Amino acid sequence: MEQPAPITMKDIAKALGVSVATVSRAMKNSPRISDEQRERIQQYAREHNYIPNVIAENLRNSRTKPVKIIGVIVPQFEHFYFSSILSGIEQEAMSRGYTIMVGQSAEQYDRETLLCDKFYQNKVCGIIVSQAKDTMNYDHFKKLINSGVPLVFYDRICTGVDCSRVVVDDYQGAFNAVSHLIETGCRHIACYMSPMSLEISKNRYNGYRDALLRYGLEPDKKMFRICDNRADAEAITPELLSQDEKPDAFFAVNDDTAIGILYTAKRMGFRVPQDISVCGFTNGQRAVACDPMLTTVEQRGVLVGEEAADILISKVEGEIPMDKVVKRVVRTRLIIRGTTR
Amino acid sequence: MEQPAPITMKDIAKALGVSVATVSRAMKNSPRISDEQRERIQQYAREHNYIPNVIAENLRNSRTKPVKIIGVIVPQFEHFYFSSILSGIEQEAMSRGYTIMVGQSAEQYDRETLLCDKFYQNKVCGIIVSQAKDTMNYDHFKKLINSGVPLVFYDRICTGVDCSRVVVDDYQGAFNAVSHLIETGCRHIACYMSPMSLEISKNRYNGYRDALLRYGLEPDKKMFRICDNRADAEAITPELLSQDEKPDAFFAVNDDTAIGILYTAKRMGFRVPQDISVCGFTNGQRAVACDPMLTTVEQRGVLVGEEAADILISKVEGEIPMDKVVKRVVRTRLIIRGTTR
């Protein structure tokens, strides 16, 4: 407690003429800055005995400034992808001296507007949100922006306001997954998507279609279904697998649906992956619990959360102009496991 | 907006001489109050056009009072059981006009104390916490209590301070699970637990042991291991299953460990449940993703969260004296699926 205050990320940023976000990335060995930049910053930090420590950072902040709060709206905590995003937001916020206030919209517009009001009353410095499925009116978001409260959307972006956002590369993720299915010998690839009104469905479907076209295969309407949960997948898959021209692979919009397909195929006597390949999208805890383990597109929720918090904090701290719309895309990763050949 | 304000739960409580918590339970058809009491309260509510609506409740509160904040410390968001508890806390808090501020201790004592400090600076009206695994010093908790900030522990209770808490009936849950294994013909039941320094390990082990004794079976040290994750379960299970006197069943401290046992047994050529039965503890998303689906003890996280928030809010609102230590136990449920006979 009696030691001289160690230098902060801000001190380093000032001395080197870079942003605090850049210093933060250098310290985390983020791939998002050049090797040269990273080495220069890390060297300066070493020479000045910088302590890259969440706790130290926070102690310094807590003594000099009021605690800053970020509001976070999550559709539901019990959804693995959302809880991993929340974890990323919290980690980035804490490492930069911020605290988070959270609420679940439970997919209800009313709750979402209520949370916006509550966060505003609590003087949050900004809000990170994935909108509820039934939100069609965007006045609550516009009101916040007009009051000077920055917003950042993640996962489900709001098409009603032009706003900063972090999404994953749904198109490329789907393209890579379906390319893998084709390259391992599959030719009749079924596709199960969420309703096509959602951006993620459009983007993932387009990636699926373009991968087929790229390999000279024709998209077939009989191989497409609107289906995004296990119960529905178990209900509709027997019909597809009883057809004369049956699929030899399935690409599903999420892991839950993929697991429904996997077990239905096994129950009907097909071998996975010898007869039928299955690929999901998420890479949640279920993907390694099923047998065989699921090949899937990893959505990297922690990274999505970190990026969303980084945009918001950079705006609050003046490193990004408040009115600038920042759009970042987090790259997915194809995780190949036992349900594909 | 121009309508006369509808009556509140508080109005009903006053009129009938009961607590607001009791009215809340009556409206949720909670089994925790008598049928008679529930009917009396619901009738009064109907006669006075009470609107049992989270939104209405919050709008009323937000106009008359400052927003009240509850601090919540979670070991990690990505753990299904903790995210379900967080969901329960949030639902109970929102329905009574409170907002929550959260942080992850990431199992680190330093982060836990930092969160306590931050929450205190933000003037939270109380803190709900499951302590980090490495917390051995309780001064940060004592300081909060002495400052008039009520604490409620969930799941991992703090043995260092006598404080309100919500836990599940680990002993009874384990007793019921092991009784089920015995009743379905198992006689050599192995037991995998977390380190025995944890309360949950002691209680679940005692439930296991007493179920054996109750059925005239002798606990056997050779059947006991410290093991609480899948990787370790996959590493140590082959040895147990290669012994002359091998287990015909396994009782595991959590689902992750149980799944490691399940797949190891299958890989070694044993049939589950015909040759080997397996029972877990949690009932998270993995339990229905594995093949066969896992028999397990459901911990009911949402209910644990609701109870913890109810104790805290009741203290803040004067319905429970601040210095009263309230201990509630949520009953587990045995969920019988495909890994037991």
Side-chain angles (χ1 to χ4, degrees):
Chain A
M1 296 284 179
E2 296 297 324
Q3 292 160 7
I7 64 164
T8 66
M9 289 208 283
K10 210 162 190 172
D11 298 331
I12 301 172
K14 217 172 189 178
L16 301 180
V18 297
S19 72
V20 176
T22 302
V23 176
S24 170
R25 283 189 196 115
M27 293 306 163
K28 288 194 292 194
N29 291 312
S30 162
R32 294 185 43 222
I33 60 168
S34 69
D35 290 350
E36 195 188 335
Q37 182 82 294
R38 183 168 55 244
E39 187 37 48
R40 176 168 157 255
I41 293 168
Q42 290 191 353
Q43 192 184 334
Y44 184 92
R46 276 195 301 273
E47 288 169 5
H48 293 78
N49 298 315
Y50 171 71
I51 306 167
N53 182 314
V54 170
I55 311 303
E57 200 67 35
N58 273 283
L59 283 176
R60 281 190 294 262
N61 282 321
S62 69
R63 280 183 204 138
T64 51
K65 301 179 220 165
V67 176
K68 293 177 220 164
I69 307 171
I70 296 170
V72 181
I73 300 176
V74 176
Q76 45 172 319
F77 297 144
E78 287 174 278
H79 188 304
F80 177 78
Y81 183 53
F82 291 131
S83 69
S84 65
I85 290 173
L86 185 60
S87 182
I89 293 172
E90 196 259 4
Q91 288 171 48
E92 182 71 17
M94 282 286 284
S95 76
R96 289 165 77 175
Y98 288 70
T99 307
I100 63 172
M101 185 171 270
V102 302
Q104 303 181 93
S105 65
E107 303 293 3
Q108 295 167 31
Y109 166 78
D110 282 347
R111 272 183 179 259
E112 187 174 277
T113 53
L114 177 68
L115 285 166
C116 286
D117 284 350
K118 285 198 169 247
F119 289 166
Y120 184 74
Q121 287 168 44
N122 275 292
K123 302 189 173 54
V124 297
C125 58
I127 294 176
I128 299 174
V129 54
S130 185
Q131 72 176 42
K133 275 187 188 161
D134 80 346
T135 295
M136 301 290 165
N137 176 317
Y138 311 109
D139 289 347
H140 55 305
F141 294 141
K142 288 177 190 155
K143 204 170 81 182
L144 285 166
I145 296 170
N146 293 339
S147 308
V149 178
L151 295 190
V152 177
F153 287 87
Y154 64 89
D155 190 53
R156 300 197 204 132
I157 58 176
C158 174
T159 50
V161 288
D162 188 31
C163 198
S164 294
R165 62 187 61 170
V166 181
V167 293
V168 298
D169 59 348
D170 287 300
Y171 172 88
Q172 193 62 44
F175 185 92
N176 294 346
V178 176
S179 296
H180 173 69
L181 291 170
I182 300 170
E183 286 161 11
T184 53
C186 303
R187 288 295 171 271
H188 303 281
I189 303 170
C191 179
Y192 286 9
M193 285 289 129
S194 288
M196 295 302 278
S197 54
L198 292 178
E199 287 296 307
I200 59 157
S201 291
K202 286 182 213 161
N203 293 332
R204 290 178 198 174
Y205 175 78
N206 290 341
Y208 158 81
R209 181 201 58 204
D210 288 0
L212 292 181
L213 294 173
R214 159 91 186 277
Y215 284 88
L217 300 172
E218 202 60 46
D220 178 355
K221 272 189 183 167
K222 293 196 298 292
M223 291 281 177
F224 179 83
R225 294 288 186 284
I226 298 296
C227 172
D228 63 2
N229 62 71
R230 179 170 175 174
D232 289 352
E234 291 183 347
I236 70 170
T237 304
E239 183 222 321
L240 264 94
L241 287 177
S242 305
Q243 287 173 185
D244 280 345
E245 211 173 286
K246 56 177 72 66
D248 54 13
F250 289 81
F251 173 59
V253 70
N254 57 38
D255 289 354
D256 192 39
T257 306
I259 288 171
I261 297 165
L262 163 64
Y263 288 139
T264 304
K266 281 175 71 175
R267 208 164 30 239
M268 291 175 73
F270 294 98
R271 293 167 305 159
V272 177
Q274 295 89 340
D275 304 325
I276 306 279
S277 292
V278 182
C279 179
F281 212 110
T282 306
N283 197 30
Q285 294 174 329
R286 284 179 278 226
V288 289
C290 59
D291 182 22
M293 290 198 237
L294 190 67
T295 292
T296 186
V297 180
E298 184 176 316
Q299 285 182 284
R300 302 169 85 189
V302 172
L303 199 51
V304 169
E306 284 176 353
E307 292 291 345
D310 178 56
I311 295 173
L312 190 73
I313 294 170
S314 299
K315 286 194 170 210
V316 171
E317 306 207 331
E319 292 161 11
I320 296 176
M322 272 291 182
D323 55 358
K324 187 171 172 190
V325 173
V326 181
K327 296 179 182 177
R328 288 192 192 153
V329 176
V330 168
R331 256 173 239 257
T332 54
R333 269 197 299 235
L334 179 64
I335 310 288
I336 297 171
R337 298 202 184 95
T339 57
T340 54
R341 298 173 211 163
Chain B
M1 297 280 180
E2 295 297 324
Q3 291 161 7
I7 63 161
T8 66
M9 289 206 284
K10 210 163 190 171
D11 297 331
I12 300 173
K14 218 172 189 176
L16 300 180
V18 298
S19 72
V20 175
T22 301
V23 176
S24 169
R25 285 191 194 114
M27 291 307 163
K28 289 194 290 194
N29 290 313
S30 162
R32 295 184 44 222
I33 59 168
S34 70
D35 290 350
E36 194 190 336
Q37 183 83 294
R38 182 165 60 243
E39 189 35 49
R40 176 167 158 256
I41 294 169
Q42 292 190 350
Q43 191 184 336
Y44 185 91
R46 276 194 302 273
E47 287 169 7
H48 294 78
N49 297 315
Y50 170 71
I51 306 168
N53 182 316
V54 171
I55 313 301
E57 199 67 33
N58 274 283
L59 283 176
R60 281 190 294 260
N61 284 322
S62 70
R63 281 185 203 135
T64 49
K65 301 181 220 164
V67 176
K68 293 177 219 165
I69 307 171
I70 295 171
V72 182
I73 300 176
V74 177
Q76 45 173 319
F77 296 145
E78 288 174 277
H79 188 304
F80 177 78
Y81 183 52
F82 291 132
S83 68
S84 64
I85 290 173
L86 185 60
S87 183
I89 292 172
E90 196 260 3
Q91 288 170 49
E92 181 71 16
M94 283 287 283
S95 76
R96 290 167 76 174
Y98 288 70
T99 307
I100 63 171
M101 183 170 270
V102 302
Q104 304 181 94
S105 66
E107 304 292 4
Q108 295 167 31
Y109 167 77
D110 283 347
R111 274 185 179 259
E112 186 175 279
T113 53
L114 177 67
L115 284 166
C116 286
D117 283 349
K118 284 200 171 246
F119 289 165
Y120 184 74
Q121 286 167 46
N122 275 291
K123 302 189 173 53
V124 297
C125 58
I127 294 177
I128 299 175
V129 53
S130 186
Q131 72 175 43
K133 275 187 188 162
D134 80 347
T135 295
M136 302 290 165
N137 175 319
Y138 312 109
D139 289 346
H140 55 307
F141 294 142
K142 288 178 190 155
K143 203 171 82 184
L144 285 165
I145 296 170
N146 292 339
S147 308
V149 178
L151 295 189
V152 177
F153 288 87
Y154 64 89
D155 191 50
R156 299 196 204 132
I157 58 174
C158 174
T159 49
V161 287
D162 188 32
C163 199
S164 294
R165 62 188 58 171
V166 181
V167 293
V168 298
D169 58 350
D170 287 300
Y171 172 88
Q172 193 63 43
F175 185 92
N176 294 346
V178 176
S179 295
H180 173 69
L181 291 170
I182 300 169
E183 286 161 10
T184 53
C186 303
R187 288 295 172 270
H188 303 281
I189 304 171
C191 178
Y192 286 12
M193 285 290 127
S194 288
M196 295 300 279
S197 55
L198 292 178
E199 287 297 306
I200 59 158
S201 291
K202 287 181 215 162
N203 294 332
R204 291 178 197 173
Y205 175 77
N206 289 342
Y208 158 82
R209 181 202 57 204
D210 287 358
L212 293 182
L213 294 174
R214 159 92 185 277
Y215 284 88
L217 300 171
E218 201 60 44
D220 178 356
K221 272 189 182 167
K222 293 196 299 291
M223 292 284 176
F224 179 84
R225 294 287 185 283
I226 297 296
C227 172
D228 62 4
N229 63 72
R230 180 169 174 174
D232 289 351
E234 291 182 347
I236 69 170
T237 304
E239 184 223 320
L240 263 92
L241 288 177
S242 306
Q243 288 172 182
D244 281 343
E245 211 173 289
K246 57 176 73 64
D248 53 13
F250 289 80
F251 172 60
V253 69
N254 57 38
D255 288 355
D256 193 39
T257 305
I259 288 171
I261 297 165
L262 163 65
Y263 288 139
T264 304
K266 280 174 73 175
R267 210 165 30 241
M268 291 174 73
F270 294 97
R271 295 167 305 159
V272 176
Q274 296 87 339
D275 304 325
I276 306 280
S277 293
V278 182
C279 178
F281 212 109
T282 306
N283 198 30
Q285 294 174 330
R286 284 179 277 227
V288 289
C290 58
D291 181 23
M293 291 198 237
L294 190 66
T295 292
T296 186
V297 180
E298 184 176 315
Q299 284 183 285
R300 303 170 85 186
V302 172
L303 199 51
V304 170
E306 284 176 354
E307 292 290 344
D310 178 56
I311 295 173
L312 190 72
I313 294 170
S314 298
K315 285 193 170 211
V316 170
E317 305 207 332
E319 291 163 13
I320 296 176
M322 274 290 183
D323 56 358
K324 186 172 173 189
V325 172
V326 181
K327 297 179 182 175
R328 288 192 193 153
V329 177
V330 168
R331 255 174 239 255
T332 55
R333 268 197 298 235
L334 179 64
I335 310 288
I336 298 171
R337 297 201 184 95
T339 56
T340 53
R341 298 175 212 162

